[in-house]
Amino acid sequence: LQSPNVSNAIQLTTKSPKLVGVGNNPSSSNKNSVVQDFISRPVHWPEIVLSSNRAELIKKSKSKVDTLEVGDTVVEFFALNQFQVEWTCKTNEPGKLVVVSPNGVPGIAKDCIMGFEFEDADDDDTSSAVVRLTMEYTPESPLAVLATPALFVDNWLALNVLLPAAVDAKPLDSYRKLMGILYGIAGTAHLVDLLVGGSQLFTTVVGIPPFENLDFIGQVYALVWCAVGPISYYFSTTANNNNSASPVNT
């Protein structure tokens, strides 16, 4: 995430992490096509942008598809519906989506541009993609300048937190991996506490005797409990890696 370049116009550039588990539609020639298709549907914008409340698509043609086409208009309401901006789609081609709003938010900002670039991840994973967002606008009010840090954070959360969750093709696997990581941390913390921490977690939280005062069976149970964490971490991450490597049949 780059710092804003404030001269006449303000430009913010944000890049997503590698989005795993997307772009695996066998009918798609690009790894990132699923992500682009998702963002090209304005109905999804409030799902990935905290400040966006709703987005209404106005088609230029009689097409009934809800994907942005060149010339289509989107009226986006944001900041608790206090403001709105009218975007026009200028480009929607493989790997690139650009919407512009010359009027922006009257009296606050003008010449607004949102440009999305959809790139293949730098590896051989056919289900990975990366998104780069470049947002540009010209302030007409000090409010637009003061809002820059908030937009900075809003864009980062959109591409690094909300978008990965929204396009995750395997949310259950992601949940298992997260829980495996948490169990791994907990098990390791308990082991360190037992061996060098004076069993503080045992005595103050659980309310049982310190590890060294337990009988042999109790110590075995305590060590098994600690070992379960790293074992859970190993199997959850290994299973997810194997699933990612397996082709997806649809």
Side-chain angles (χ1 to χ4, degrees), residues 55-90:
E56 300 176 356
L57 174 62
I58 303 172
K59 300 294 292 184
K60 180 181 179 181
S61 65
K62 295 182 179 180
S63 172
K64 294 183 179 180
V65 299
D66 59 353
T67 303
L68 277 172
E69 299 173 309
V70 174
D72 287 349
T73 299
V74 180
V75 180
E76 183 183 15
F77 298 83
F78 61 98
L80 300 178
N81 293 315
Q82 297 302 305
F83 302 101
Q84 69 180 60
V85 59
E86 186 174 295
W87 300 100
T88 300
C89 181
K90 299 294 289 184

Side-chain angles (χ1 to χ4, degrees), residues 125-147:
D125 187 351
T126 58
S127 62
S128 300
V130 173
V131 181
R132 185 188 303 274
L133 166 62
T134 301
M135 176 180 286
E136 184 174 325
Y137 57 94
T138 300
E140 291 189 300
S141 163
L143 179 61
V145 178
L146 294 174

Side-chain angles (χ1 to χ4, degrees), residues 192-203:
V192 172
D193 177 62
L194 292 182
L195 300 180
V196 298
S199 300
Q200 294 300 310
L201 293 176
F202 265 47
T203 57

Side-chain angles (χ1 to χ4, degrees), residues 3-191:
S3 299
N5 177 20
V6 181
S7 52
N8 187 23
I10 294 177
Q11 186 179 93
L12 303 172
T13 301
T14 313
K15 185 177 181 180
S16 76
K18 184 175 74 170
L19 304 173
V20 179
V22 298
N24 48 19
N25 185 341
S27 64
S28 301
S29 57
N30 296 322
K31 300 176 184 179
N32 47 50
S33 60
V34 170
V35 183
Q36 181 166 354
D37 180 73
F38 183 88
I39 294 179
S40 295
R41 300 174 188 269
V43 67
H44 294 307
W45 291 4
E47 299 177 31
I48 62 174
V49 181
L50 283 178
S51 61
S52 180
N53 299 117
R54 73 180 192 273
E56 300 176 356
L57 174 62
I58 303 172
K59 300 294 292 184
K60 180 181 179 181
S61 65
K62 295 182 179 180
S63 172
K64 294 183 179 180
V65 299
D66 59 353
T67 303
L68 277 172
E69 299 173 309
V70 174
D72 287 349
T73 299
V74 180
V75 180
E76 183 183 15
F77 298 83
F78 61 98
L80 300 178
N81 293 315
Q82 297 302 305
F83 302 101
Q84 69 180 60
V85 59
E86 186 174 295
W87 300 100
T88 300
C89 181
K90 299 294 289 184
T91 303
N92 194 359
E93 59 189 33
K96 188 175 183 180
L97 170 66
V98 179
V99 294
V100 300
S101 179
N103 295 328
V105 182
I108 297 179
K110 65 179 182 178
D111 298 330
C112 303
I113 302 173
M114 285 198 302
F116 295 90
E117 296 177 89
F118 306 89
E119 309 165 356
D120 296 338
D122 296 329
D123 54 32
D124 295 327
D125 187 351
T126 58
S127 62
S128 300
V130 173
V131 181
R132 185 188 303 274
L133 166 62
T134 301
M135 176 180 286
E136 184 174 325
Y137 57 94
T138 300
E140 291 189 300
S141 163
L143 179 61
V145 178
L146 294 174
T148 299
L151 285 173
F152 191 79
V153 173
D154 201 36
N155 292 347
W156 188 90
L157 289 174
L159 263 60
N160 287 269
V161 178
L162 299 177
L163 178 62
V167 300
D168 191 348
K170 299 179 180 179
L172 181 58
D173 286 346
S174 298
Y175 175 76
R176 287 170 175 165
K177 182 176 181 179
L178 173 62
M179 295 308 297
I181 293 173
L182 295 177
Y183 277 125
I185 294 173
T188 302
H190 275 284
L191 181 61

